[in-house]
């Protein structure tokens, strides 16, 4: 029998005090994994856990927060405080990044904001959460390997007023690259050919750590599905069969006018999120990922109990988080970020650690991509802004590959796509660009600090697609 959230919470004992600040409790399909320290911190302890990832396959060593995949779902109310103690049980350094949250820069968990946490040591993250929505956490060091080993989990910031009669399920999507025997493929890590193509694309799809899980939800309630793409590099094209879902949020931020995803195909780059609301009803739901060929069915949600009256009422927009709107862009300097390189990209060379090097030397050093002619992290920021200044960036994808551009600490609003006004613009922290596409975005640089800006295809990031912006205090 699936446990209800209440039963889960009741069972956590000492943890429930901490749950008032941050609840690490599971919805039915999550393990109960709260570890609370006496000082009110929720502990996220990285453990190496031999795990059977593929049904019938061999055990493989995963690296997991509190021993579970995905890591515990952290829940906190909007304007609440997150207090998490990261305990590094790896043999290598790590750090924890909170993806998509408009966070205090010191707590961002990137190499620009903190030193790596050595093996056996811990780091305390304490921050307020200004925005309700669906976020996630993952390491920001050797990310391609650490995330692929299972280090990620959802961070859910609840609305101040809970949605009435809506069941809430987080679906964490991942594709792992495994060998025939079910063990995690190790050879592909650091492979420059993979990094120069689409990145580490997996062959074993999981939802909440399981292959094709069967979940259940009440037919008599609306259902909010929070989709999180935690894969290293795969662009996901989620599709729901059995109902027409209504899109209510992207990358955590509510969209202005919720819309039915009838014929419209949702696309989520790695790191991207979408919140969908599904009306009451008793038809079983199937989540599929559209790729080449037949859509791959990845999860099933059975709807139990009575659906009641037909659900024809409107689906209201979620309460706005009040992000500062950029306003008129007249006279504002557009800073171009030209993305080059990769297979079939014709890149001749780039600046690497301050030196001009040819393609061969780039590749020998593990690089295949550049931003504005520079491969890898830059000493100088790509752009510096005064606090509160309106920023306009045009991403120019001159490569033959899609990319998922992620800015830390702030969300951006697309204003132009290939020179035309953006259609139904929505705040994004992870913006998918097609091959050869250019997208102009605007935002108010209102969060002071040093913020990374990189491709969230983790192998692309590692192989050169990484820079940062500076917002002066
Ligand atoms: Cu989700 Cu810079 O990362
Ligand atoms: Cu990329």
């Amino acid at each position: 029998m699936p446990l209800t959230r209440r039963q889960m919470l009741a069972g956590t004992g000492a943890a429930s005090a901490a749950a008032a600040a941050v609840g690490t409790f599971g919805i039915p399909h999550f393990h109960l994994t709260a570890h609370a320290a006496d000082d009110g911190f929720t502990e996220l302890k990285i453990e190496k856990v031999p795990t059977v990832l593929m049904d019938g396959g061999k055990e493989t060593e995963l690296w997991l927060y509190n021993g579970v995949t995905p890591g515990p779902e952290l829940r906190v109310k909007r304007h609440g405080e997150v207090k998490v103690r990261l305990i590094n049980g790896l043999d290598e350094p790590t750090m924890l990044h909170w993806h998509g949250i408009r966070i205090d820069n010191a707590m961002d968990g990137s190499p620009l904001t903190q030193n790596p946490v050595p093996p056996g040591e811990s780091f305390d993250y304490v921050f307020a959460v200004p925005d309700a929505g669906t976020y996630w956490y993952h390491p920001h060091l050797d990310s391609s390997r650490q995330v692929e080993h299972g280090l990620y989990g959802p961070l859910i910031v609840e609305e101040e007023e809970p949605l009435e009669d809506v069941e809430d399920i987080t679906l964490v999507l991942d594709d792992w690259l495994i060998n025939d025997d079910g063990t995690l493929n190790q050879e592909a890590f650091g492979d420059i050919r993979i990094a120069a193509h689409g990145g580490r694309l997996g062959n074993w799809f999981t939802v909440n750590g399981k292959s094709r899980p069967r979940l259940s939800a009440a037919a008599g309630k609306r259902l909010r599905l929070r989709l999180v793409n935690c894969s290293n590099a795969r662009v996901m094209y989620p599709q729901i069969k059995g109902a027409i879902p209504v899109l209510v949020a992207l990358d955590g931020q509510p969209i202005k006018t919720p819309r039915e995803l009838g014929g419209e195909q949702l696309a989520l780059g790695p790191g991207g999120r979408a919140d969908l609301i599904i009306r009451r009803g008793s038809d079983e739901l199937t989540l599929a990922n559209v790729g080449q060929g037949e859509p791959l069915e990845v999860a099933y949600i059975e709807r139990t109990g009575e659906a009641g009256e037909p659900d024809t009422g409107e689906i209201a927009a979620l309460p706005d988080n009040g992000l500062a709107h950029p306003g008129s862009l007249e006279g504002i300097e557009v800073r171009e970020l030209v993305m080059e390189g990769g297979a079939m990209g014709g890149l001749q060379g780039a600046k690497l650690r301050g030196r001009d090097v040819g393609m061969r030397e780039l590749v020998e050093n593990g690089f295949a991509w550049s931003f504005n002619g520079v491969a890898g992290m830059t000493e100088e920021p790509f752009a510096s802004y005064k606090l509160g200044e309106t920023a306009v960036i045009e991403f120019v994808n001159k490569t033959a590959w899609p990319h998922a551009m992620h800015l830390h600490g702030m969300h951006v609003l697309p204003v132009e796509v290939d020179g035309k006004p953006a259609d139904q613009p929505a705040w994004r922290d992870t913006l998918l660009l097609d091959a050869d596409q250019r997208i102009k975005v605007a935002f108010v640089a209102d969060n002071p600090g040093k913020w990374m800006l990189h491709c969230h295809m983790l192998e692309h990031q590692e192989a050169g697609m990484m820079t940062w912006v500076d917002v002066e205090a």
Side-chain angles (χ1 to χ4, degrees):
M1 187 194 70
L3 292 172
T4 65
R5 175 175 303 161
R6 173 173 294 250
Q7 286 166 318
M8 286 284 192
L9 260 180
T12 61
S16 43
V22 181
T24 59
F25 48 79
I27 40 185
H29 46 281
F30 273 90
H31 303 257
L32 175 62
T33 53
H35 298 235
D38 314 340
D39 53 4
F41 275 85
T42 297
E43 294 185 344
L44 283 185
K45 182 168 194 279
I46 303 180
E47 296 163 22
K48 296 178 169 189
V49 188
T51 306
V52 176
L53 194 53
M54 184 181 82
D55 315 317
K58 267 200 199 151
E59 280 189 337
T60 191
E61 184 184 277
L62 298 184
W63 303 343
L64 304 174
Y65 295 113
N66 296 358
V68 290
T69 174
E73 177 163 303
L74 304 178
R75 279 199 169 240
V76 59
K77 257 211 185 336
R78 181 177 182 210
H79 300 309
E81 191 179 52
V82 173
K83 290 175 83 178
V84 166
R85 176 161 302 138
L86 171 72
I87 304 170
N88 183 8
L90 297 176
D91 305 320
E92 60 186 59
T94 189
M95 58 178 68
L96 192 46
H97 169 58
W98 307 90
H99 183 121
I101 276 284
R102 293 194 294 150
I103 198 172
D104 170 8
N105 191 241
M107 294 291 132
D108 190 44
S110 95
L112 292 172
T113 63
Q114 75 166 95
N115 291 320
V117 181
E121 293 189 20
S122 71
F123 187 91
D124 289 351
Y125 294 90
V126 181
F127 55 92
V129 284
D131 301 331
T134 304
Y135 305 93
W136 65 296
Y137 59 88
H138 65 81
H140 219 296
L141 206 63
D142 199 3
S143 313
S144 166
R145 279 173 68 249
Q146 294 196 2
V147 173
E148 177 74 354
H149 274 81
L151 290 172
Y152 54 77
L155 167 64
I156 305 302
V157 182
E158 297 173 343
E159 286 78 20
E160 287 152 290
E161 292 296 327
L163 307 190
E164 248 171 80
D165 275 331
V166 175
E167 200 165 328
D168 193 323
I169 297 186
T170 307
L171 299 175
V172 176
L173 315 179
D174 193 9
D175 74 328
W176 313 68
L177 184 62
I178 59 173
N179 301 313
D180 290 346
D181 64 359
T183 55
L184 200 62
N185 177 301
Q186 297 290 331
E187 288 79 62
F189 288 122
D191 186 325
I192 188 67
R193 286 163 305 176
I194 288 174
H197 288 77
R200 185 181 173 103
L201 298 170
N203 53 5
W204 184 251
F205 203 108
T206 60
V207 175
N208 297 343
K210 300 214 164 46
S211 169
R212 297 210 167 118
R214 292 205 138 263
L215 312 170
S216 66
K221 282 186 174 183
R222 287 181 175 175
L223 177 59
R224 176 182 192 166
L225 294 180
R226 301 172 183 265
L227 307 179
V228 189
N229 181 354
C230 290
S231 71
N232 278 37
R234 182 174 298 279
V235 180
M236 307 263 186
Y237 300 95
Q239 191 185 58
I240 302 282
K241 299 185 217 166
I244 298 176
V246 176
L247 179 69
V248 293
L250 285 168
D251 291 354
Q253 299 298 340
I255 61 168
K256 250 209 199 121
T257 316
R259 60 179 189 268
E260 287 191 347
L261 292 177
E264 182 185 342
Q265 179 59 61
L266 192 61
L268 281 186
R273 289 91 62 213
D275 288 34
L276 307 175
I277 290 191
I278 291 166
R279 293 172 188 279
R280 295 192 304 269
S282 41
D283 289 349
E284 175 169 292
L285 306 172
T286 302
L287 174 68
N289 185 41
V290 180
Q292 288 126 343
E294 279 291 288
L296 181 72
E297 297 189 351
V298 296
Y300 306 94
I301 304 172
E302 186 191 335
R303 300 193 81 182
T304 56
E306 293 296 317
E309 293 292 296
D311 180 359
T312 52
E314 78 156 337
I315 292 182
L318 298 172
D320 193 64
N321 285 319
L323 272 57
H325 200 277
S328 162
L329 303 182
E330 247 189 66
I332 292 175
E333 185 195 345
V334 179
R335 287 164 163 107
E336 271 200 356
L337 191 107
V338 179
M339 306 150 66
E340 289 178 292
M344 300 170 286
L347 184 69
Q348 300 295 309
K351 246 197 186 35
L352 178 63
R353 300 176 196 117
R355 237 166 29 88
D356 286 312
V357 304
M359 197 59 193
R360 172 182 289 264
E361 194 176 336
L362 272 186
V363 166
E364 280 166 3
N365 282 279
F367 293 92
W369 306 91
S370 68
F371 283 165
N372 290 351
V374 182
M377 196 54 174
T378 51
E379 204 138 305
E380 293 298 316
F382 155 71
S384 297
Y385 300 106
K386 292 208 179 59
L387 190 62
E389 187 183 339
T390 296
V392 180
I393 299 177
E394 183 152 28
F395 297 109
V396 183
N397 183 4
K398 291 195 175 167
T399 80
W401 301 88
H403 299 286
M405 292 301 296
H406 173 48
L407 175 65
H408 289 205
M410 286 162 287
H411 283 68
V412 302
L413 193 65
V415 290
E416 255 179 53
V417 178
D418 288 329
K420 298 190 195 68
D423 186 28
Q424 297 174 302
W427 291 108
R428 301 307 300 248
D429 58 56
T430 312
L431 181 71
L432 190 61
L433 281 100
D434 287 334
D436 290 316
Q437 199 173 44
R438 48 162 73 211
I439 301 185
K440 193 187 279 180
V441 302
F443 61 101
V444 178
D446 56 3
N447 199 359
K450 297 180 184 350
W451 304 108
M452 293 197 65
L453 173 59
H454 61 86
C455 178
H456 219 285
M457 290 158 176
L458 301 174
E459 295 71 32
H460 290 177
Q461 175 192 359
E462 192 169 275
M465 301 191 114
M466 183 161 34
T467 185
W468 60 289
V469 305
D470 191 24
V471 181
E472 290 167 24

